[in-house]
Amino acid sequence: MDNSGEACEGVVECTALVLAEGYTELDGRITLFGVMDEIRTSGDGTSFVVYAKFEGCEHAGGKERWARFIVADEEGNVIEESEEQSVLLDGTEEPATMLVRFDLPEEIEDEERVLWIEAILDEETLSQTAIRLQKNYNV
């Protein structure tokens, strides 16, 4: 609370931003597999999933928020962007999660580069991470 006696507007943080090769879901629980520290391109398409967990303070409940992910290059040019999803938080009781699969365009698979993944909530970047895109060489 601030000095005027009014509650805060509900602080929300992105407490996890994870990239993985894929996932499974069983009984409402998500299991990520192949957590990635780099993306290896593939001749038959390069895809990955992005998972984020949003947690809020006790004043964060009762308000619908909108979240999305952006994949951008080093210059900030957007390569892929997810659809916005509704994120509902109920104070500190239950975190909200978001999971999106991305399929990279073939034209960027030919270059080794760094990609930036951003978790955006209500048009504010809450978390971002960089990951190297590497060519997958056949031996």
Side-chain angles (χ1 to χ4, degrees):
M1 294 186 107
D2 61 14
N3 292 338
S4 68
E6 295 180 25
C8 77
E9 293 184 25
V11 175
V12 177
E13 295 179 338
C14 182
T15 57
L17 180 60
V18 181
L19 280 65
E21 293 174 10
Y23 73 98
T24 59
E25 188 172 352
L26 181 63
D27 296 328
R29 298 183 76 142
I30 296 170
T31 301
L32 300 173
F33 60 86
V35 173
M36 304 168 83
D37 59 0
E38 67 181 10
I39 298 172
R40 294 262 179 199
T41 61
S42 170
D44 56 349
T46 302
S47 65
F48 59 95
V49 295
V50 180
Y51 167 87
K53 181 167 74 170
F54 301 100
E55 296 185 68
C57 73
E58 67 262 12
H59 305 110
K63 180 180 174 186
E64 184 176 39
R65 298 169 187 264
W66 293 93
R68 63 191 164 101
F69 296 121
I70 290 179
V71 178
D73 63 16
E74 298 99 327
E75 289 82 35
N77 299 315
V78 175
I79 296 170
E80 292 285 320
E81 184 173 351
S82 72
E83 295 288 324
E84 280 192 316
Q85 293 183 20
S86 175
V87 173
L88 298 173
L89 292 166
D90 188 17
T92 58
E93 295 300 314
E94 192 69 33
T97 59
M98 185 174 168
L99 184 71
V100 174
R101 173 171 296 284
F102 283 101
D103 296 305
L104 294 178
E106 289 181 30
E107 60 268 11
I108 74 159
E109 293 182 1
D110 292 334
E111 297 180 42
E112 292 187 0
R113 60 173 66 188
V114 173
L115 299 179
W116 286 91
I117 315 301
E118 296 181 33
I120 298 173
L121 183 72
D122 293 337
E123 298 305 319
E124 178 183 348
T125 299
L126 292 188
S127 185
Q128 62 180 292
T129 189
I131 190 161
R132 183 165 295 284
L133 179 66
Q134 298 281 343
K135 281 184 155 184
N136 195 12
Y137 298 103
N138 293 329
V139 181

